[in-house]
Each structure stands twice: as C-alpha cells, then as structure tokens.
Amino acid sequence: LGVIARGDAMLNLRHGRQPITGGEIGLVSLSRGGFLVLDGEQSRHVRSPHTGEGWAVEQGADGQVWQLIPKPGNKGGWLCRWAWDGEATTIAAELELRYVFTLDVAPDGRIWLPDFTRNLMVIHDPASGQTQELGGFAEFGTHIRNVVCAADGWVYVTATNYQLSMLLAIAPGTQAITIVTLAEGLAAGFRFTQVVKDGAGQALTT
C-alpha cells in the first residue's frame, strides 16, 4: 500500500466502485485518519479534517464515501463525507457516540453506526440531519460491532459478550431485532457470528 500506510495500527478494507467508470476499488481506512482508495494500479490518500482512529469507512449507493473520525477520548465523533472532489473529506455531522468500528449506508441513504461502548445503534439521516438511537441489544450481548445494510432494507449487526457471539437482524420499518439462525432442523443451536456484503448488496454470513 505504500509509505502512507506503513506502520499503520489497523487497516480496514471495504469494497467499492469508482462512480464514473464503475471500476472496482478498495477503501482502506487508516487508524491515523483518512483512507486510501485502491484502483488496482495505485493508491490515493484521502485525508480527514481531524486525526483519529477512523476505522469505520463505507461507500453509499450514490458513490459518496463516509468515514467516522472519533473525537479525543472517544467523546463523540465527526461523520465525514467525500464526494470524489478533492484530497480531503468534509465534516457532514457531529454525532454523540463513543466507539465505532464499522458503519454502513442503507439503500435509503441513512447511515448506521453501531456504538460498541454504549451497545446501541446510531442512525443518521444526511438528508434531514436527524439522528436516531436504537437500543434493545442488551439481551443479546454487551457490545454490537459489525453492521451491514442489505439491499432489501434489512440491517444485520454482530453482538457479543466476549463469551458468546451472534448475528442479529433488524427488520425494515418496525426495527424489530431477531437472532439469525439456520433453518429449523439443520443444526440445532447453531448461530452465525460474522456478516459481510457482496457487490449486489446481499448479506453473507458465516
């Protein structure tokens, strides 16, 4: 990845597409802030307005890239946006949250951010500027971490208490939370623990 990422504490890779050419790209978050855009031939460094462990980065359906940069002491964070126009992101919102490892952009444009420390989901709507907090995860674990917003409107997030991990599904509209399991009879008691999203917006789990 070049000298920009040398010695970086954590590299979080996300799949994306160049909005003009449609070519596949990689988005690599940098723990010191900002991210790299990889197009197969070279890397482009997009800087952030502030330094910080900006591990959460993702691209929306409109091509814009979003990254959360935590404030010092993880007391809030800057939600930053990059629209392929310049060498740095711009601050789109300041959010009240503590620690976020991942974020994703739903088909309706809302951004879902699992607050690992407070064990609740922060949902920000860039169009209206409104932010919602969704709780109800305590019965499933002490922390939520990895989030995926599928193309059909369902949202999936992993939950853990460091002894047991599971995958949760949040229904569109009602926001009801359920545990994702195998069909009855296939493997009694089996629970999925990880989730990713493919290029078609389908959630894949293991």
Side-chain angles (χ1 to χ4, degrees):
L1 298 179
V3 68
I4 295 174
R6 187 173 299 164
D8 201 84
M10 180 176 180
L11 298 175
N12 187 16
L13 175 64
R14 288 291 183 265
H15 173 269
R17 289 193 178 276
Q18 214 283 352
I20 298 177
T21 66
E24 291 188 339
I25 60 169
L27 300 171
V28 183
S29 63
L30 301 175
S31 65
R32 293 166 293 187
F35 55 89
L36 300 179
V37 180
L38 309 180
D39 65 4
E41 297 181 358
Q42 59 183 355
S43 62
R44 176 180 181 181
H45 185 198
V46 179
R47 304 180 184 279
S48 58
H50 300 278
T51 58
E53 296 177 336
W55 294 341
V57 63
E58 190 59 80
Q59 184 179 31
D62 60 359
Q64 294 187 101
V65 180
W66 297 86
Q67 184 177 36
L68 183 79
I69 303 296
K71 294 183 177 181
N74 293 308
K75 297 179 180 178
W78 295 283
L79 183 62
C80 299
R81 171 172 47 201
W82 185 59
W84 299 82
D85 53 352
E87 300 301 319
T89 60
T90 58
I91 297 174
E94 292 190 33
L95 303 179
E96 295 298 324
L97 38 69
R98 294 296 302 274
Y99 209 88
V100 173
F101 286 97
T102 65
L103 66 83
D104 202 3
V105 186
D108 62 7
R110 293 188 301 167
I111 301 170
W112 292 64
L113 307 100
D115 190 327
F116 183 82
T117 302
R118 296 192 297 159
N119 201 31
L120 55 78
M121 188 72 73
V122 177
I123 308 167
H124 179 74
D125 184 355
S128 66
Q130 299 297 310
T131 301
Q132 170 195 356
E133 292 185 351
L134 175 64
F137 298 99
E139 64 177 290
F140 307 108
T142 53
H143 303 282
I144 56 174
R145 176 165 175 162
N146 299 329
V147 65
V148 159
C149 299
D152 59 5
W154 283 82
V155 176
Y156 300 91
V157 63
T158 58
T160 185
N161 61 6
Y162 293 111
Q163 295 179 336
L164 176 66
S165 297
M166 64 186 69
L167 179 63
L168 306 176
I170 305 173
T174 65
Q175 295 185 341
I177 305 170
T178 55
I179 301 173
V180 178
T181 61
L182 282 173
E184 185 177 356
L186 291 182
F190 179 87
R191 288 177 175 173
F192 296 103
T193 58
Q194 295 297 330
V195 64
V196 295
K197 183 168 60 175
D198 67 11
Q202 299 180 100
L204 307 175
T205 184
T206 59

